[in-house]
């Protein structure tokens, strides 16, 4: 099969006896279509998303990235566990015995704040948060 795209334009025009000003006539187009078929590139079928996903698993770098994501997830979850200091419960108890009412001010979500307040023994009803 001749690779016409590698040839000089004058070579291609003379081989096909084509005038660059007028192009092919209707009869020449019909004849070329019958002889060579439509001018279409044959494409490869598209892969499904599942096959693309599976093909990615052949690369070792994917496993490195998945491992890094897992380590990051574990570190993030461990970092979120932030219990109150041990001396806080005792300090709140001493303050309560002295007649001081403890109030917790936080920027945490209501449920998180209530959970911490329960741990410290200063929880009231959640609707008052």
């Amino acid at each position: 099969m001749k690779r016409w795209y590698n040839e000089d334009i004058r070579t291609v025009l003379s081989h096909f006896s084509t005038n660059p000003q007028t192009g092919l006539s209707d009869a020449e187009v019909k004849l070329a279509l019958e002889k060579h078929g439509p001018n279409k590139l044959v494409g490869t079928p598209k892969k499904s998303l599942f096959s693309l996903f599976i093909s990615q698993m052949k690369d070792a770098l994917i496993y490195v990235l998945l491992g890094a994501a897992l380590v990051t997830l574990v570190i993030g979850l461990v970092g979120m566990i932030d219990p109150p200091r041990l001396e806080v419960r005792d300090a709140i108890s001493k303050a309560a015995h002295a007649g001081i009412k403890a109030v917790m001010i936080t920027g945490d979500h209501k449920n998180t704040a209530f959970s911490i307040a329960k741990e410290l023994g200063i929880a009231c009803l959640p609707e008052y948060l």
Side-chain angles (χ1 to χ4, degrees):
M1 182 170 151
K2 183 96 170 154
R3 296 189 174 163
W4 294 106
Y5 53 85
N6 285 334
E7 298 295 326
D8 179 57
I9 191 165
R10 287 182 282 270
T11 306
V12 175
L13 289 172
S14 79
H15 177 77
F16 289 104
S17 304
T18 303
N19 181 345
Q21 305 301 324
T22 60
L24 297 173
S25 69
D26 289 340
E28 290 172 322
V29 169
K30 187 175 181 178
L31 183 66
L33 275 172
E34 289 172 3
K35 183 177 179 183
H36 303 290
N39 190 15
K40 289 187 177 180
L41 296 175
V42 179
T44 57
K46 283 189 169 186
K47 290 184 176 183
S48 69
L49 285 176
F50 180 72
S51 65
L52 283 174
F53 176 76
I54 295 300
S55 69
Q56 295 296 315
M57 293 300 145
K58 295 176 184 172
D59 191 357
L61 184 59
I62 293 296
Y63 295 106
V64 171
L65 291 172
L66 288 173
L70 183 63
V71 168
T72 303
L73 177 69
V74 169
I75 289 173
L77 290 174
V78 168
M80 284 179 24
I81 300 170
D82 187 20
R85 294 183 190 161
L86 296 175
E87 63 269 12
V88 172
R89 186 185 311 257
D90 189 41
I92 290 174
S93 176
K94 287 180 183 177
H97 282 76
I100 301 169
K101 180 181 177 186
V103 176
M104 184 171 83
I105 300 173
T106 180
D108 287 333
H109 185 272
K110 179 170 74 168
N111 295 340
T112 305
F114 186 68
S115 175
I116 294 169
K118 280 193 329 189
E119 281 185 54
L120 296 175
I122 60 170
C124 61
L125 295 175
E127 58 266 11
Y128 291 116
L129 297 177

